[in-house]
Amino acid sequence: MNAMILLDKIDLPESGPAEIQIARSFTIGISATQARRRVNGWLAMKVSTSMLGDTPSLVVADRIVWRVPILFTATHVGPVGTVGSVDVDVESGEILPETANIEEMYCRAEELAQTLPPFKLREVPPEYLAKDIPITPIEPQGNLADFIATLRES
Amino acid sequence: MLYASWNIRFSYDELKTDLRIRPNAGSPLENVRQLSPKGFAVYFQRRGTFANLYGMLERGWPSIVSVQAGEFPYWQEPPTQHAVVVVGMIDDNILVNDPTFADAPLAIPYGDFDLAWLEMDEAFAVIAPA
């Protein structure tokens, strides 16, 4: 696995010779891909359905984390720009929400949105349209809250 | 889309306020909980399964699903977070209403849908009249 590694909180001279020796042992409890997916779920649930995690970098500091860049995306153009990042503990897989400035992400997304072309509804290629599908008319049955309780029990 | 399917009249501006939608920046799925005081039952979770979606459909409740749309065979743009409504499952396909397109529903092979949903940690939400 290739990963970009960033070193944080390393004491360096202002100029002149420098030497860095690193020996840190840790367990990769969550892969970069898993970290990105976990962040995507967090974004969808808690931040916005218009943001997406990008390829993480490994950050070696007091804590070793995956730093997941967060992109603002638009359905008619794709990724528009980076709006922030959030860290994920590399061993536990825990998302560290305090490392994300959510309000700043919203503000940055709003700025980027000003650069977008207008949204237009698109035509889907006909081969992907579901045609001649028998519709099963179903009226909502039961109570969603009761059904959820059964899901939680199982 | 869901309101329309239940013939519920609504004001878009009111809905934007209820769901606390940030202009141009969207809102999170959890904000559906703001609809509870309006007489809706709401549910949301990550790590959803096809069985969850099917169970909801069996009872007449479509699900709002978060997906990485770049995995859909008809998607022509780069990876994008997107939300679609699952309205059916038949043969080897999941049927979705996609607000990016004028026509619906679209048929997506299970494998492609699974990849798109997996990228978003299988997050989904359901709202239904209480």
Side-chain angles (χ1 to χ4, degrees), chain B residues 103-118:
Chain B
D103 297 309
L106 306 177
I108 303 172
Y110 274 111
D112 294 331
F113 185 91
D114 200 15
L115 285 174
W117 198 22
L118 178 63

Side-chain angles (χ1 to χ4, degrees), chain B residues 70-120:
Chain B
E71 297 289 350
F72 287 167
Y74 60 80
W75 198 262
Q76 293 168 0
E77 278 71 28
T80 306
Q81 209 218 118
H82 191 31
V84 296
V85 177
V86 172
V87 297
M89 291 176 164
I90 187 165
D91 298 331
D92 299 325
N93 294 295
I94 290 203
L95 306 182
V96 303
N97 287 355
D98 185 330
T100 313
F101 297 93
D103 297 309
L106 306 177
I108 303 172
Y110 274 111
D112 294 331
F113 185 91
D114 200 15
L115 285 174
W117 198 22
L118 178 63
E119 276 298 308
M120 302 308 301

